[in-house]
Amino acid sequence: MKRIRITHVILIAMALICLMYPPASEGQEEQILLTKSGVKWGIGGYGDGQFDAPRGIALDSSGNVYVADTDSNRIQKFTSDGVFLTKWGTRGYGNGQFSSPCGIALDSSGNVYVADTGNNRVQKFSSEGIFLMKWGVLGQFDAPRGIAVDSSGNVYVADTGNNRIQKFTSQGVFLAKWGTEGYGERQFGAPNGVAADGSGSVYVADTGNNRIQKFTSQGVFLAKWGTEGYSEGQFGAPNGIAVDRSGDVYVADTGNNRIQKFTSQGIFLTKWGTLGQFSSPSGIAVDSLWNVCVADTDNDRVWKFASVATDLAASKDVDNNSPNEGEQIAYTIEVSNIGPNDATNISYG
C-alpha cells in the first residue's frame, strides 16, 4: 500500500485549534501549557553568569534577562538564552552600588529600576547599567524588596518593612501609598512582591499573610486569594509575582518550591515545580510570548520555561486512495508556541 505525505501552509490553523481546544475564558489562553523541563543557567559564585542568592528578575521587550544578584550586590544581564552580556554594581552606598538588591523592573523604554533593599532606596539605570537617578532613604523606605512599572511608567514599590505599597512617577515623585500591618483588606504582612497589569491593576505578594491582594492603581482594594498551605491556591511565603499580557498571574510560591498560575480573579490554573527543581524561588517574570523566567534563589540559578505555543504541526499517514464516505481518519496534532494572533503552519497528508 503506497503512503503519501503532503505539507501545506494554510490559514485555517486557528479554526483547527478551536476544534481541538475549546475556547478558554477571557485572559486564559493556551499559554497555560508550559514545558515544565525548561532551561537553566548559573551556579554559585561571583564570575560572569554565576550567582549568589538571586532574588529578582525582569525581562525587556527583546527577551533579555536582568537578574538582581542579591548577595553579590550587582545586576547581571543576559540574552534570552542565558548568554552573559554585562553586569554592574558592587557593595556600597554610592551611585550604582548596592546593598542586597532584591527587586528589579523595566519600563517600556528599557530603563532598569532596582529595589536597593539594604540601602532603603530605588536606583534607576539605562539598559547598559549607566546610573540615571535614585530616590529614598530609611524612613521613606524600610527594606523595600519588590518593584514594578506600569504601562504609563509609574513605579510601584513593595515597601516591605513598612507594610505598604508606594507609587511614584518615573522620576521618583511621590504619588500615593497604601497599607498598614495586619491581615485585613489593604493590610500586609511584609509584602515582598508587586506587579502591574496592562489595565492598571496592581497585584501584591502579601508574603507573611500567604496571599495575593489586587488593587486599582490608586490602592482601592479589589480582590484577594490564598491561605497558608500546600494545596492548589495556597501559599508558603510567596515572594515574587508577575502578570502576562492576557492578565494571568504567576506567583513564585517560595516556601512551597513551585510556581502557581491564576486568572486575574484568583482562579487556579496550573502549577509546576518541586524541591530539587526549585529551592526557594523568589523572583518571577513573564514576557509577551508567555515565556516565564524564575530566579531560583537557593540554587543560585535562573530557569526559563517556554510557552508550548510555537508551531502547529498536524501529521497523518494515509494511503493514496480517497477515504470512503463516513471513514474516520486519525490525526496526530502537535501544538507549540502559538500566540492568539499568529498565522500557523500545519503539516498534514
Side-chain angles (χ1 to χ4, degrees):
M1 180 175 61
K2 183 178 180 181
R3 307 178 74 85
I4 62 173
R5 190 173 191 85
I6 309 170
T7 301
H8 293 276
V9 177
I10 63 177
L11 296 178
I12 62 170
M14 297 309 296
L16 285 176
I17 293 172
C18 291
L19 290 173
M20 293 184 293
Y21 301 97
S25 59
E26 183 177 358
Q28 184 185 345
E29 302 167 23
E30 292 305 320
Q31 66 272 28
I32 65 171
L33 300 172
L34 295 171
T35 55
K36 303 303 188 298
S37 57
V39 296
K40 61 182 183 285
W41 66 90
I43 57 173
Y46 195 69
D48 295 347
Q50 297 180 322
F51 302 109
D52 190 358
R55 288 182 171 86
I57 195 164
L59 305 171
D60 67 19
S61 59
S62 299
N64 295 314
V65 181
Y66 298 76
V67 180
D69 189 5
T70 304
D71 287 0
S72 292
N73 295 291
R74 64 182 178 179
I75 305 301
Q76 293 197 67
K77 179 181 177 181
F78 303 87
T79 69
S80 60
D81 297 321
V83 177
F84 174 82
L85 293 175
T86 190
K87 64 184 177 184
W88 67 92
T90 57
R91 182 172 180 82
Y93 192 71
N95 296 342
Q97 294 185 306
F98 301 108
S99 178
S100 300
C102 286
I104 188 167
L106 277 78
D107 64 22
S108 59
S109 299
N111 296 311
V112 181
Y113 299 78
V114 179
D116 188 7
T117 306
N119 286 329
N120 296 294
R121 64 185 180 182
V122 171
Q123 293 197 68
K124 180 179 178 180
F125 303 88
S126 74
S127 61
E128 298 304 315
I130 298 172
F131 175 82
L132 299 176
M133 64 173 301
K134 63 185 177 185
W135 70 89
V137 293
L138 180 60
Q140 182 181 17
F141 294 127
D142 185 0
R145 286 179 171 264
I147 193 164
V149 182
D150 67 18
S151 58
S152 299
N154 298 308
V155 180
Y156 299 84
V157 179
D159 189 6
T160 307
N162 285 325
N163 292 291
R164 63 186 179 185
I165 301 300
Q166 294 201 59
K167 179 181 178 181
F168 303 87
T169 69
S170 60
Q171 298 302 305
V173 177
F174 174 81
L175 295 174
K177 64 182 177 182
W178 65 91
T180 58
E181 184 177 5
Y183 194 71
E185 296 172 357
R186 297 183 83 246
Q187 293 185 311
F188 301 109
N192 272 234
V194 64
D197 67 18
S199 301
S201 297
V202 178
Y203 300 79
V204 180
D206 189 3
T207 307
N209 288 327
N210 292 292
R211 64 183 180 181
I212 304 301
Q213 293 197 65
K214 179 181 178 180
F215 304 89
T216 70
S217 60
Q218 296 303 312
V220 177
F221 175 82
L222 295 174
K224 64 183 177 182
W225 67 90
T227 58
E228 184 177 6
Y230 192 71
S231 298
E232 294 173 355
Q234 293 185 306
F235 301 108
N239 273 233
I241 189 165
V243 186
D244 69 21
R245 68 180 189 179
S246 299
D248 292 330
V249 181
Y250 302 73
V251 180
D253 188 6
T254 307
N256 287 328
N257 296 294
R258 65 184 180 182
I259 305 301
Q260 294 198 68
K261 181 179 178 182
F262 303 87
T263 70
S264 60
Q265 297 304 311
I267 298 172
F268 174 83
L269 295 176
T270 190
K271 64 184 177 182
W272 71 95
T274 58
L275 179 61
Q277 180 181 23
F278 295 130
S279 183
S280 299
S282 297
I284 191 166
V286 57
D287 67 17
S288 60
L289 296 176
W290 299 284
N291 297 305
V292 179
C293 284
V294 178
D296 188 7
T297 304
D298 286 352
N299 281 327
D300 296 312
R301 63 188 177 191
V302 167
W303 281 92
K304 181 179 179 182
F305 301 91
S307 170
V308 186
T310 318
D311 302 301
L312 179 66
S315 61
K316 175 177 70 79
D317 288 321
V318 297
D319 60 23
N320 59 349
N321 296 315
S322 298
N324 297 323
E325 183 177 356
E327 180 181 349
Q328 293 184 351
I329 302 175
Y331 290 83
T332 301
I333 306 294
E334 295 179 359
V335 180
S336 64
N337 213 15
I338 214 164
N341 300 314
D342 293 338
T344 309
N345 292 340
I346 298 184
S347 299
Y348 72 98

